[in-house]
Amino acid sequence: MPAPAFMFATGIENSNPTIRGGSHRVDELESCGFYKHWRTDFDLVRDLGIHFLRYGPPIHTTFLRPGRYDWEFSDLTFGRLKELDIAPIVDLCHFGVPDWIGNFQNPDFPALFARYARDFADRYPWVQLYTPVNEMYVCATFSAAYGLWNEQLSSDKAFVTALKHIVKANVLAMSAILEVRPDALFIQSESSEYFHAENPKAIKPAEIQNARRFLPLDLNYGRRIESEMYELLMDNGMTRKEYHFFLENNLKHHCIMGNDYYETNEHRVAADGSWRPSGEIFGYSEITRQYYNRYRLPVMHTETNFHQGQGEAAVNWLWKEWANVLRVRNSGVPMVGFTWYSLTDQVDWDTTLRETNGTVNPLGLYDLDRNIRPVGTAYRQLIADWRDVLPSQSVCLTVPVVFPSEFEEPLARKRRDAARADRPKRERLLRELEAQT
């Protein structure tokens, strides 16, 4: 099929952190019924007119040991996506790691994860789009600063340790995937945050948090860190060698910046440095422009949702977010896609997965019985209305997506051959990876 000019997407919620000191695994694929209903779910994606799906295999049951995998479920699901000609945006790590790796404090995690990413790409070479590590900021913060998941630590040292391991894993995984699929594209889904000072004494702590929110992408894209955040990294365990790894080995030119935005992404900071939710103040368009001005990459809105509640709350949020996307696009930012996340309702996100109450959160395009919600109907209509309008500045800016059905076509082969010429940087990364393993 010809690649759509704009990437309308949804996602399968596949978070899988551990809680209770690592003794219990939260598996949203299980909680949301995906293991039972995955065939139906993929059909629903096509019924909505969607050609892009954020989805990844459950890493905790797939990655058994270095070089050892259970691909049975992945073969079924990715085989079906290929048959349906849906382009997956593959989440390889969504807030959790296998029990045998432990957590994000493990220094072996980056090299182990890179090998997993390469072996996945070897098995499914027709896959082009990846989010190697989902929401690196949230993952490091919730695991090692807030003490909610995985290592459940709450210190700057634990946060920096998790952060450097997570981002290095992401960079090494990108390099490993590019060895197999040289025209791979990486859509780095990242939470876009903002911290508002509620009084003059709160300005300084708000500024610190507004600098800290950029750390994962600064490292991932090889951007030099400002002095205060550099001191945070150096004072809490990052070495100069580790820091220069990120400066010298970024793969920014293969990336699309994914920005996630929810009503909870903005915060009100008090004078003592504490903060609480502020609700939507700036909104997606203003905060996304801040991120774009910093990194200058094509942008995709990679996550949003809203509680169904009474009336049209979720539908109204959909239209508000879409209006923000158009506003960003009309200001000259290359916007390439939009995502309602997720396809179905979720479970226990009202407690950020730190409790297992079985509470259904009505956030999906469909409920857990796979009945369409009003926001699902509205999203289907929005896609139908806007699909052919080409909501990007120029056909020259269309993302060079190769759909599964096009993988063996001559033009796709030619693009991959051309991409293989860009190898020196990836080879340096792989030499480092081999040295570690």
Side-chain angles (χ1 to χ4, degrees):
M1 70 169 66
F6 194 81
M7 300 167 65
F8 288 106
T10 187
I12 305 297
E13 163 58 338
N14 63 333
S15 300
N16 50 37
T18 57
I19 57 174
R20 301 174 193 162
S23 66
H24 180 79
R25 171 81 59 179
V26 176
D27 185 345
E28 283 287 284
L29 292 177
E30 175 66 35
S31 300
C32 301
F34 179 75
Y35 293 132
K36 180 179 179 181
H37 297 294
W38 63 268
R39 293 177 180 84
T40 298
D41 289 351
F42 290 165
D43 288 340
L44 295 177
V45 172
R46 289 305 304 266
D47 288 345
L48 291 168
I50 291 174
H51 300 282
F52 298 91
L53 181 68
R54 292 196 58 206
Y55 165 64
I59 189 172
H60 58 293
T61 58
T62 302
F63 192 11
L64 305 180
R65 283 288 185 274
R68 288 186 54 205
Y69 310 98
D70 181 352
W71 297 117
E72 182 179 4
F73 187 66
S74 294
D75 286 347
L76 291 171
T77 55
F78 282 93
R80 182 57 178 158
L81 289 174
K82 188 177 182 183
E83 290 174 359
L84 293 170
D85 209 24
I86 293 172
I89 304 169
V90 181
D91 282 328
L92 288 175
C93 177
H94 204 120
F95 299 147
V97 295
D99 290 341
W100 60 272
I101 289 179
N103 54 54
F104 296 109
Q105 301 296 301
N106 185 348
D108 296 330
F109 168 62
L112 292 168
F113 180 69
R115 179 171 181 180
Y116 172 58
R118 181 183 178 121
D119 290 346
F120 178 93
D122 266 329
R123 192 167 187 89
Y124 309 104
W126 53 270
V127 173
Q128 183 190 21
L129 307 175
Y130 287 87
T131 300
V133 182
N134 174 72
E135 285 193 341
M136 296 183 289
Y137 174 83
V138 173
C139 190
T141 299
F142 281 33
S143 298
Y146 295 171
L148 303 182
W149 302 335
N150 302 309
E151 51 263 51
Q152 294 186 247
L153 298 175
S154 303
S155 70
D156 284 344
K157 183 173 180 58
F159 170 76
V160 170
T161 300
L163 179 72
K164 68 183 183 182
H165 293 163
I166 287 168
V167 183
K168 186 173 185 178
N170 196 72
V171 173
L172 289 176
M174 289 193 289
S175 181
I177 290 165
L178 286 165
E179 283 297 305
V180 178
R181 183 70 194 258
D183 64 334
L185 298 172
F186 303 100
I187 303 172
Q188 190 53 64
S189 176
E190 187 60 273
S191 181
S192 51
E193 309 274 331
Y194 193 82
F195 295 82
H196 303 272
E198 69 177 16
N199 59 54
K201 292 183 179 179
I203 292 174
K204 184 62 175 179
E207 287 178 344
I208 291 172
Q209 293 303 325
N210 280 325
R212 187 166 168 148
R213 64 180 168 146
F214 288 127
L215 277 174
L217 292 182
D218 281 353
L219 295 173
N220 191 61
Y221 296 143
R223 187 183 189 279
R224 293 189 180 278
I225 307 292
E226 287 85 353
S227 59
E228 197 153 29
M229 289 300 102
Y230 181 80
E231 290 176 358
L232 171 70
L233 297 176
M234 294 299 114
D235 290 347
N236 289 284
M238 182 176 283
T239 66
R240 287 174 59 124
K241 181 179 179 181
E242 288 172 326
Y243 174 62
H244 281 276
F245 166 86
F246 296 111
L247 293 183
E248 296 165 4
N249 294 301
N250 82 84
L251 294 165
K252 181 179 177 181
H253 55 299
H254 291 279
C255 295
I256 293 168
M257 183 176 64
N259 288 83
D260 302 348
Y261 182 80
Y262 297 94
E263 190 182 34
T264 55
N265 282 41
E266 298 186 55
H267 318 275
R268 183 174 173 179
V269 182
D272 63 359
S274 63
W275 65 84
R276 61 188 188 277
S278 68
E280 183 185 28
I281 305 297
F282 285 171
Y284 176 80
S285 60
E286 171 58 29
I287 296 175
T288 294
R289 277 194 291 267
Q290 294 176 9
Y291 280 77
Y292 174 74
N293 288 337
R294 192 175 185 91
Y295 302 114
R296 296 288 173 172
L297 283 169
V299 178
M300 181 173 180
H301 192 329
T302 36
E303 283 188 26
T304 197
N305 63 41
F306 203 85
H307 194 281
Q308 175 64 40
Q310 299 296 319
E312 298 292 308
V315 172
N316 291 338
W317 183 262
L318 169 67
W319 289 111
K320 181 187 288 187
E321 287 303 287
W322 180 244
N324 273 262
V325 166
L326 294 179
R327 186 178 183 188
V328 173
R329 170 254 181 183
N330 291 337
S331 69
V333 176
M335 287 292 308
V336 301
F338 176 76
T339 312
W340 185 274
Y341 196 87
S342 51
L343 178 72
T344 67
D345 291 346
Q346 301 170 16
V347 177
D348 288 330
W349 265 108
D350 55 308
T351 60
T352 55
L353 303 184
R354 68 185 185 275
E355 298 177 11
T356 53
N357 302 316
T359 302
V360 176
N361 310 135
L363 304 168
L365 301 169
Y366 293 83
D367 65 25
L368 293 186
D369 292 322
R370 276 52 186 179
N371 299 312
I372 196 165
R373 290 195 174 279
V375 70
T377 301
Y379 192 33
R380 181 165 56 196
Q381 187 61 51
L382 185 153
I383 293 168
D385 289 344
W386 288 91
R387 178 188 292 126
D388 298 326
V389 176
L390 191 61
S392 55
Q393 287 78 356
S394 165
V395 292
C396 299
L397 296 178
T398 301
V399 179
V401 173
V402 178
F403 276 86
S405 61
E406 301 170 326
F407 177 65
E408 298 293 349
E409 291 185 0
L411 179 58
R413 289 175 176 270
K414 184 177 180 180
R415 286 178 176 174
R416 293 197 295 277
D417 290 342
R420 286 191 180 93
D422 183 24
R423 300 179 66 95
K425 184 178 293 186
R426 298 199 296 274
E427 289 173 352
R428 288 199 303 273
L429 280 170
L430 285 174
R431 283 196 294 273
E432 175 166 337
L433 173 61
E434 289 166 358
Q436 292 183 43
T437 57

